[in-house]
Amino acid sequence: MTESGLNVTLTIRLLMHGKEVGSIIGKINVLLSLKFKGESSTKKGETVKKMREESGARINISEGNCPERIVTITGPTDAIFKAFAMIAFKFEEDIDNSMTNSTATSKPPVTLRLVVPASQCGSLIGKGGSKIKEIRESTGAQVQVAGDMLPNSTERAVTISGMPDAIIQCVKQICVVMLESPPKGATIPYRPKPASAPVIFAGGQAYTIQGQYAIPHPDLTKLHQLAMQHTPFTPLGQTTPGFPGLDANNPASTHELAIPNDLIGCIIGRQGSKINEIRQMSGAQIKIANAAEGSTERQITITGSPANISLAQYLINARLTSEVSGMGPL
């Protein structure tokens, strides 16, 4: 199939972190037709007009206070490729800017995550992995199809990474596969789960922050009391976790989370202040792995009783929420 023979209307879904979404809305203002909500500024109105004139692509960003958002790109395939090119080059620009004051010697690749119906993933992988191997070799991009479906959906994440040109060629080939092998049966789309509301503890009570008000949260208060009952705060730097007061019915367990590199700072805080606060409030031991070269995520390991772990997860989500919503309404 030639590229011109591909010029039909198609919808592609991308999974992005809050800061990636902010980057696109803030800076890509030439070729994309974005849907701004609640924006009355003349400048932004003119930008949207310009985007619509320059490209047939429509880009909608899912609502909700979530660390992750779904970006839906719809339009003729040539407009979709143009949109992907702009996104890929913008992300490369972000990487270049982030490396200005960095000591890293090698430049990480641009990474995009597509959300694809699981019923189409077989065609994308091909018999014995032949199709995905062909796409990797002909484009130079890395392509990974997740083994598991995204939560509460029948979709899988397809991660593409490489130089912008390689990513654009890769997206073109994926579009060909998707057009030749339509989804089978009904698709349950993935919807990112909203993160929890920010929370504070005062006088042994837990409160969630809603707007300018602190609302008492009895369930979290109980969880906090339970966590404190089981595990005193483990000092920073203690290598062997000690969990006094735990009985055989409530052994220490471990839970792992992966947090995007660009959001890890809001969890650590200045000189570790936020992560220490989360350790103290939850009673859990929390370790953050060093950044692996080329990886876009950092691993967080939480150890403690179920109550410690639940509370630590809640507090980490609360930090992510305040960071993402701090970008303002999108």
Side-chain angles (χ1 to χ4, degrees), residues 209-227:
I209 307 302
Q210 293 174 16
Q212 297 177 332
Y213 302 97
I215 314 294
H217 199 309
D219 292 344
L220 264 185
T221 301
K222 279 181 201 161
L223 196 57
H224 180 54
Q225 287 165 353
L226 192 61

Side-chain angles (χ1 to χ4, degrees), residues 66-108:
C66 307
E68 292 183 318
R69 309 282 279 275
I70 294 286
V71 177
T72 307
I73 306 179
T74 307
T77 46
D78 59 349
I80 285 178
F81 301 151
K82 233 178 248 183
F84 266 96
M86 293 300 295
I87 291 169
F89 282 112
K90 179 63 186 76
F91 284 179
E92 185 183 47
E93 186 190 310
D94 292 344
I95 291 168
D96 289 340
N97 291 341
S98 72
M99 289 185 74
T100 311
N101 302 316
S102 166
T103 52
T105 49
S106 63
K107 179 174 161 179

Side-chain angles (χ1 to χ4, degrees), residues 12-312:
I12 302 282
R13 281 157 54 80
L14 284 164
L15 188 55
M16 286 191 191
H17 299 302
K19 284 202 170 177
E20 293 172 326
V21 173
S23 167
I24 293 168
I25 288 182
K27 299 284 169 65
I28 295 188
N29 55 6
V30 226
L31 289 172
L32 306 183
S33 166
L34 296 177
K35 186 178 179 184
F36 288 100
K37 293 205 174 282
E39 297 282 4
S40 55
S41 133
T42 314
K43 193 176 176 186
K44 281 193 175 169
E46 284 168 6
T47 304
V48 174
K49 187 181 170 190
K50 197 172 187 179
M51 291 172 188
R52 289 188 178 126
E53 284 169 3
E54 297 288 337
S55 165
R58 289 196 312 280
I59 295 187
N60 291 324
I61 297 162
S62 65
E63 297 293 310
N65 197 7
C66 307
E68 292 183 318
R69 309 282 279 275
I70 294 286
V71 177
T72 307
I73 306 179
T74 307
T77 46
D78 59 349
I80 285 178
F81 301 151
K82 233 178 248 183
F84 266 96
M86 293 300 295
I87 291 169
F89 282 112
K90 179 63 186 76
F91 284 179
E92 185 183 47
E93 186 190 310
D94 292 344
I95 291 168
D96 289 340
N97 291 341
S98 72
M99 289 185 74
T100 311
N101 302 316
S102 166
T103 52
T105 49
S106 63
K107 179 174 161 179
V110 173
T111 300
L112 293 177
R113 288 178 299 161
L114 273 59
V115 179
V116 177
S119 61
Q120 290 179 295
C121 288
S123 303
L124 193 54
I125 294 165
K127 196 173 182 181
S130 57
K131 188 66 192 174
I132 202 164
K133 187 182 175 201
E134 181 194 309
I135 294 173
R136 285 179 188 137
E137 288 174 355
S138 65
T139 65
Q142 280 300 310
V143 191
Q144 299 290 337
V145 178
D148 296 324
M149 287 189 270
L150 289 158
N152 307 313
S153 79
T154 57
E155 293 187 308
R156 288 195 208 175
V158 176
T159 305
I160 308 171
S161 55
M163 297 300 287
D165 290 332
I167 286 175
I168 298 154
Q169 293 307 317
C170 186
V171 168
K172 286 182 180 181
Q173 296 209 22
I174 289 172
C175 284
V176 173
V177 174
M178 290 174 77
L179 286 167
E180 289 177 346
S181 309
K184 298 172 189 73
T187 298
I188 301 168
Y190 172 59
R191 290 188 173 87
K193 198 177 173 187
S196 317
V199 64
I200 56 167
F201 290 89
Q205 301 293 310
Y207 301 86
T208 50
I209 307 302
Q210 293 174 16
Q212 297 177 332
Y213 302 97
I215 314 294
H217 199 309
D219 292 344
L220 264 185
T221 301
K222 279 181 201 161
L223 196 57
H224 180 54
Q225 287 165 353
L226 192 61
M228 291 305 97
Q229 213 172 319
H230 282 302
T231 314
F233 170 59
T234 308
L236 189 61
Q238 181 173 315
T239 49
T240 313
F243 293 98
L246 292 178
D247 55 38
N249 299 326
N250 224 345
S253 56
T254 297
H255 183 80
E256 291 195 335
L257 293 171
I259 303 291
N261 285 342
D262 58 1
L263 292 177
I264 201 77
C266 76
I267 291 166
I268 296 172
R270 191 183 288 273
Q271 296 179 330
S273 59
K274 291 297 173 191
I275 195 71
N276 284 341
E277 199 178 279
I278 294 171
R279 286 184 179 115
Q280 286 171 328
M281 284 182 180
S282 66
Q285 187 181 59
I286 305 170
K287 287 185 178 173
I288 300 175
N290 292 331
E293 196 173 314
S295 172
T296 58
E297 295 180 323
R298 297 272 287 274
Q299 206 69 22
I300 294 185
T301 307
I302 307 170
T303 309
S305 71
N308 300 139
I309 291 171
S310 296
L311 193 50

